[in-house]
Structures are given as structure tokens and as C-alpha cells.
């Protein structure tokens, strides 16, 4: 069974929401986490949620991923850690292999925007000023990651999928890098 399936079967939406500090009212409603909600319009069920105002709908993994700003895989891992769901190594490996095109693009976009932020922050104020190493490094890295993003946006969906599969190591490293960067920022 996949980690996603295991978590969907075992975790309870309401317990999860409360665990992450969301107050759930007696009818199981909360303020929607997908839109700016003044009155609770998102209903939590045992295994899914639905917002009656903006129509957001999904399961425990997309809920956690939105709430904590994580990818689906990270959200699943986080739930597994916080709720003691066992994940075997083979399950982990399986998930690592199947990074989707969407996830790969999201990773790249996120990392590119961090790099752009760094580049602008450390950009020399005048031509005379010495270049900050972070500025140089972010410019150099931007070239690489923007190039990958272009490659990934090129071609049919099948080709994009193939590209993610082929560059699995690159994307796994990027994932690790992002996790580290997020902690440092
Ligand atoms: Zn909503």
C-alpha cells in the first residue's frame, strides 16, 4: 500500500486540523484555508473537506500540504511522522521515483523565486561595489535552474514526464536543497 493510501485510510481530518492548531466548531466547520474566509465555510469530514464558499475540495494530504505549505510528498511524510503511520523504505523509494511534472515545476518555480530574491537582495548598489558571493552564486544558479525550467516546459506532456524521470536525481537533490533553504530562511 502506498504512503498516501495508508494515510488516507488511517488519519482523521478533524484530528489532523486540530493537531495543527485549527479550531473546528461543533458542526465540523472551520475557516477555509484556501480563501480569505470570515465565517467558517469549510466542512471537515473524516476523510475529506469541502468549502461551501470557494468550492475547494480534497483529502487529508492536500489539506495538510496547503496548510503547512508543503508538497504532497512532504505533507504525507509529515502526517506519517506526526501521526505515527509506518512507511516502509520501499514505499519511500516508490514515491521518490514518481515525482510528477507538476511537482517538478513547482519545485523549480519555488527555488527560482528564492534565488531571485537572493540575487536582488545582494545585488551591488553601484558598479564600483564589490560583488557579494551570494549575489554571484544566485546568478550562477539561476542560469541552471531557469534552463531546467525551460527544458521542462518544452515538448509534450509525455516528454516532460520522461524528462522528470530521467533527471530524477537532479529533482531529488533540488527537493533536499529546498527543504534546507526553507529551514534557513
Ligand atoms: Zn474556501
Amino acid at each position: 500500500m502506498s504512503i498516501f493510501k495508508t494515510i488516507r485510510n488511517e488519519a482523521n481530518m478533524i484530528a489532523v486540523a486540530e493537531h495543527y492548531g485549527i479550531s473546528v466548531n461543533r458542526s465540523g466547520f472551520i475557516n477555509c484555508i484556501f480563501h480569505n474566509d470570515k465565517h467558517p465555510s469549510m466542512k471537515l469530514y473524516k476523510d475529506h473537506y469541502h468549502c461551501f464558499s470557494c468550492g475547494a475540495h480534497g483529502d487529508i494530504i492536500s489539506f495538510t500540504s496547503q496548510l503547512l505549505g508543503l508538497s504532497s510528498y512532504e505533507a504525507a511524510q509529515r502526517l506519517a511522522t506526526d501521526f505515527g503511520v509506518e512507511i516502509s523504505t520501499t514505499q519511500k523509494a516508490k514515491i521518490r521515483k514518481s515525482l510528477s511534472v507538476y511537482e517538478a515545476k513547482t519545485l523549480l518555480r519555488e527555488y527560482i523565486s528564492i534565488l531571485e530574491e537572493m540575487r536582488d537582495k545582494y545585488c551591488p548598489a553601484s558598479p564600483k561595489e564589490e560583488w557579494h558571493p551570494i549575489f554571484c552564486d544566485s546568478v550562477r544558479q539561476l542560469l541552471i535552474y531557469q534552463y531546467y525550467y525551460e527544458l521542462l516546459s518544452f515538448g509534450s506532456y509525455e516528454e516532460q514526464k520522461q524528462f522528470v524521470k530521467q533527471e530524477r536525481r537532479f529533482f531529488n537533490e533540488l527537493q533536499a536543497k529546498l527543504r534546507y533553504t526553507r529551514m534557513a530562511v
Side-chain angles (χ1 to χ4, degrees):
M1 208 193 306
S2 78
I3 175 184
F4 292 101
K5 241 188 190 155
T6 314
I7 284 159
R8 284 187 186 115
N9 286 348
E10 293 190 12
N12 176 316
M13 282 292 303
I14 295 170
V16 167
E18 282 177 338
H19 176 82
Y20 293 126
I22 302 270
S23 64
V24 184
N25 76 15
R26 259 192 284 167
S27 343
F29 277 89
I30 63 167
N31 282 337
C32 178
I33 58 169
F34 288 88
H35 82 274
N36 188 7
D37 200 3
K38 304 257 180 333
H39 308 284
S41 36
M42 178 177 270
K43 168 97 172 156
L44 300 185
Y45 302 87
K46 186 192 172 286
D47 61 348
H48 70 283
Y49 60 82
H50 181 78
C51 174
F52 289 91
S53 173
C54 75
H57 187 97
D59 64 21
I60 206 151
I61 290 165
S62 63
F63 181 85
T64 308
S65 124
Q66 168 73 11
L67 187 66
L68 305 178
L70 303 170
S71 72
S72 309
Y73 173 66
E74 289 168 330
Q77 262 198 326
R78 178 71 185 269
L79 286 166
T81 313
D82 292 354
F83 294 90
V85 179
E86 286 283 338
I87 321 168
S88 69
T89 326
T90 42
Q91 282 177 354
K92 274 188 197 165
K94 231 194 218 155
I95 295 156
R96 251 181 227 295
K97 259 186 228 160
S98 59
L99 195 67
S100 70
V101 170
Y102 174 77
E103 282 174 317
K105 280 187 183 168
T106 308
L107 283 177
L108 278 170
R109 263 202 301 267
E110 190 180 340
Y111 197 60
I112 286 171
S113 82
I114 292 174
L115 288 172
E116 283 171 341
E117 217 174 277
M118 288 298 165
R119 176 199 60 193
D120 297 344
K121 193 173 165 189
Y122 291 96
C123 180
S126 76
K128 274 182 222 152
E129 199 178 302
E130 211 176 305
W131 286 14
H132 194 286
I134 295 180
F135 172 73
C136 300
D137 185 56
S138 47
V139 169
R140 187 185 55 81
Q141 286 200 68
L142 265 171
L143 284 173
I144 301 168
Y145 290 98
Q146 276 164 344
Y147 177 62
Y148 264 85
Y149 193 79
E150 266 168 48
L151 285 178
L152 187 53
S153 310
F154 191 78
S156 69
Y157 184 68
E158 269 317 304
E159 285 169 318
Q160 296 182 0
K161 246 167 79 178
Q162 196 52 39
F163 180 74
V164 174
K165 212 171 144 192
Q166 189 188 310
E167 298 292 333
R168 202 160 59 219
R169 249 188 85 186
F170 171 85
F171 286 107
N172 283 343
E173 276 164 20
L174 176 58
Q175 220 167 9
K177 231 175 179 174
L178 257 174
R179 208 168 305 141
Y180 175 76
T181 314
R182 278 199 211 105
M183 279 192 286
V185 171

